[in-house]
Amino acid sequence: MRVLGVDPAVAGAIGYGVIQLDGSCATCMRFGALKLPRQVTFAFRLREIHHLIAELVERFEPDAVAVEAVFTSLNMRTALKLAEMRGVVLLAAAQAQIPAHSYSPREVKASVAGFGAASKQQIQQMVRSLLSLDAIPEPADASDALAVALCHAQAARSRERLAAATRPSPLPVMGARRARPA
């Protein structure tokens, strides 16, 4: 499974990270952050984010896109702009017919660090460890995006295990006779 993780931001850089899963082993294929000058218009920012995500989707052909959800304690204006940015990411995934999934910051932290209120430094250390990287991924926005991708990978594996465990076993056909020993 290959996952593109995205950490959208209104003012800062937009983090992205692509991971590949082979069984329980996760490897980092690419990560980074799109940092645009503050003076660019919001429309330009949206267009550049869409272009970046579409390019990453085309190049890496992920099986899923995972995006961090809007943090609800933001002020209304910031929350709306962040929702618009997420919409552009979701649009790029939909155009490529790739399923997109959203995870709250608390879900991501709990999944990666085992604690929903983990610090940025703890998340960065866990991302480095889980992906067997030589150094902490920088900038922090890229590390956050990799954490979102790892969160989705863990959630997908859990869903697969649950589906396998709850699959009904084949039942014997009613009225069928067993062969009797001679």
Side-chain angles (χ1 to χ4, degrees), residues 17-143:
V18 181
I19 64 169
Q20 173 80 38
L21 282 96
D22 188 15
S24 62
C25 181
T27 56
C28 180
M29 300 183 74
R30 182 169 175 186
F31 66 88
L34 174 65
K35 179 77 171 159
L36 297 170
R38 288 197 180 273
Q39 65 268 23
V40 300
T41 65
F42 190 65
F44 181 84
R45 191 171 181 78
L46 291 175
R47 187 176 68 230
E48 290 302 304
I49 293 166
H50 182 272
H51 178 72
L52 170 68
I53 300 305
E55 185 178 287
L56 290 167
V57 162
E58 185 178 331
R59 180 168 180 194
F60 292 100
E61 300 177 348
D63 300 299
V65 173
V67 186
E68 191 168 87
V70 175
F71 188 56
T72 55
S73 73
L74 299 171
N75 71 49
M76 185 61 77
R77 177 178 282 148
T78 303
L80 288 172
K81 283 189 171 194
L82 189 55
E84 290 172 355
M85 296 182 112
R86 284 177 29 83
V88 168
V89 172
L90 299 175
L91 173 63
Q95 287 173 327
Q97 299 179 348
I98 297 172
H101 307 270
S102 293
Y103 299 95
S104 73
R106 187 170 285 284
E107 284 177 296
V108 173
K109 291 175 180 182
S111 174
V112 172
F115 177 55
S119 69
K120 281 255 191 221
Q121 293 79 19
Q122 289 171 316
I123 296 299
Q124 287 178 311
Q125 281 289 11
M126 287 304 298
V127 166
R128 184 194 65 74
S129 177
L130 291 168
L131 294 173
S132 302
L133 299 172
D134 293 334
I136 290 174
E138 291 290 343
D141 308 287
S143 184

Side-chain angles (χ1 to χ4, degrees), residues 172-181:
V173 178
M174 297 296 281
R177 295 187 178 178
R178 291 189 209 173
R180 292 189 179 154

